[in-house]
Amino acid sequence: MKISVKVPATTANLGPGFDCMGMALPIYNVITIEETVLPGSGIEINVISTSGELDDVALEHIPLDENSLVYKAVELLYNSIGQTPSELKISIKTSIPVARGLGSSASVVIGSLIAANELLGRPADEAALLSIACEIEGHPDNIVPAYCGGVAISSQEDDGSIVYRKLQWPSDWAVTVCVPDFELSTDIARSVLPKEVPMEDAVFNSSRFGMLIHAICTKDKELMKLSLKDKLHQPYRMKLIPGLNKIMDNLRHIDSVLGCVISGAGSSVLVISEKNDLDEIKNIVSDTWLSQNIKCDIKTLNVENEGAKIISNDE
Ligand code: HSE
């Protein structure tokens, strides 16, 4: 039996929603798991990149052994029903850029969990799959939209369960994803964050996050312009993304821009805007990065409203 699952990329945080907000994007990884016929052959993991040379380098950093996220996800699922995984062939066809803050790890975790769950006859429900995925990822912001699509706010409760709600993204707001040619690992991007933050910064973020949700639900662009601001993670990560301060400054005078934030833990940058002036926005970002010798790939994308789905199930 062979199961393939297609999982969207995600962007997390959207400024003030650190670790609790994410959005699915129409770039996909496909994770395929099949039972091998040879007993004792163990677990074999292969990665095939479909996103070009830049990522071939990044892919070399993906562990293919017991340390891989795929292996951990599959193992936790099997363990949850009192089994251990064996004799599986897993392949990952990646189009989501690696280590760029676009949820590539969440996509492989969700994809391998759904595929393995299907192989096992679906012992785990959505709640169990999301809890296992969150145990691996550490926060639910990428895994929830990877699983269910759309824009979602989420939390992990004390018992490990994930609570989430989806929001309707205003159709006349554009999401421009700017992917630079350098990687930034989530571990590094989290290591620069402080263990404690000043109370006024926490208050700043809770007000902005509340306003962000209201702005999205009511399509209030003036409120959105005030909402896409953060003091919990972005100020600390600025130094890891050369040129970002300048990009933010240079975009400020464009009226249609609602905000510019780090995508997830970086290195990509997200520009939220109205749908006019998109070429000017792209030129500003690419020229600013180019002035620092950074090349980039920029695309305006729609929110992907569909989450992970099984695309083939060969008996
Ligand atoms: N919320 C996470 C972070 C996303 O910003 O570190 C990356 O996994």
Side-chain angles (χ1 to χ4, degrees):
M1 200 182 189
K2 180 170 164 181
I3 316 280
S4 293
V5 182
K6 180 178 168 189
V7 192
T10 49
T11 178
N13 301 333
L14 279 97
F18 179 65
D19 276 1
C20 56
M21 179 155 195
M23 170 194 284
L25 296 169
I27 312 172
Y28 310 91
N29 282 349
V30 175
I31 293 89
T32 302
I33 304 194
E34 72 186 290
E35 286 164 318
T36 58
V37 280
L38 297 174
S41 54
I43 294 190
E44 181 192 323
I45 304 172
N46 291 302
V47 182
I48 309 150
S49 166
T50 49
S51 62
E53 276 170 40
L54 280 181
D55 260 45
D56 287 345
V57 180
L59 286 173
E60 285 171 15
H61 304 312
I62 299 181
L64 299 179
D65 54 13
E66 297 78 27
N67 295 318
S68 79
L69 290 174
V70 183
Y71 186 90
K72 281 186 192 148
V74 171
E75 188 179 42
L76 278 175
L77 178 67
Y78 274 71
N79 290 349
S80 73
I81 55 163
Q83 295 188 27
T84 37
S86 60
E87 283 96 46
L88 295 177
K89 197 165 160 193
I90 304 173
S91 50
I92 310 164
K93 210 162 149 199
T94 72
S95 296
I96 304 174
V98 176
R100 302 300 203 293
L102 291 171
S104 82
S105 67
S107 84
V108 298
V109 168
I110 287 293
S112 40
L113 281 174
I114 292 175
N117 193 44
E118 198 68 16
L119 269 184
L120 289 166
R122 299 196 201 169
D125 59 8
E126 172 185 302
L129 293 176
L130 288 177
S131 290
I132 295 174
C134 196
E135 199 176 326
I136 297 171
E137 279 276 291
H139 33 85
D141 47 352
N142 287 109
I143 56 168
V144 169
Y147 186 91
C148 64
V151 178
I153 45 174
S154 52
S155 71
Q156 184 173 33
E157 301 302 300
D158 290 344
D159 62 0
S161 63
I162 308 300
V163 175
Y164 74 85
R165 293 292 183 272
K166 286 174 79 167
L167 306 176
Q168 187 67 43
W169 185 253
S171 59
D172 48 1
W173 291 0
V175 178
T176 300
V177 181
C178 314
V179 186
D181 64 0
F182 62 90
E183 297 167 39
L184 178 54
S185 83
T186 302
D187 286 351
I188 293 176
R190 291 185 86 85
S191 73
V192 299
L193 303 181
K195 294 267 173 289
E196 289 174 5
V197 294
M199 177 61 89
E200 60 265 32
D201 290 355
V203 171
F204 179 97
N205 262 63
S206 37
S207 65
R208 287 339 181 259
F209 190 52
M211 289 179 350
L212 174 67
I213 305 304
H214 193 273
I216 292 171
C217 293
T218 60
K219 306 178 186 164
D220 182 337
K221 65 183 169 95
E222 292 312 319
L223 189 65
M224 192 69 171
K225 285 185 179 179
L226 299 173
S227 307
L228 287 167
K229 297 190 165 73
D230 160 80
K231 289 198 177 181
L232 294 187
H233 66 110
Q234 294 195 161
Y236 307 99
R237 290 171 163 172
M238 283 291 178
K239 58 179 181 246
L240 302 175
I241 307 179
L244 178 53
N245 253 325
K246 235 173 164 188
I247 289 172
M248 287 177 165
D249 272 354
N250 293 343
L251 287 172
R252 218 154 264 150
H253 70 275
I254 313 234
D255 200 44
S256 57
V257 171
L258 306 180
C260 172
V261 293
I262 300 175
S263 178
S267 56
S268 299
V269 167
L270 214 63
V271 184
I272 314 269
S273 69
E274 294 177 271
K275 287 189 169 163
N276 44 323
D277 303 325
L278 290 174
D279 285 340
E280 193 181 354
I281 291 169
K282 288 176 191 170
N283 288 339
I284 287 175
V285 176
S286 62
D287 290 350
T288 312
W289 259 336
L290 211 53
S291 71
Q292 315 242 349
N293 287 321
I294 296 167
K295 291 192 203 122
C296 60
D297 184 22
I298 303 182
K299 287 189 182 81
T300 298
L301 301 171
N302 290 320
V303 174
E304 170 55 275
N305 283 311
E306 249 193 281
K309 63 173 182 210
I310 295 174
I311 53 171
S312 76
N313 181 338
D314 298 332
E315 295 290 332

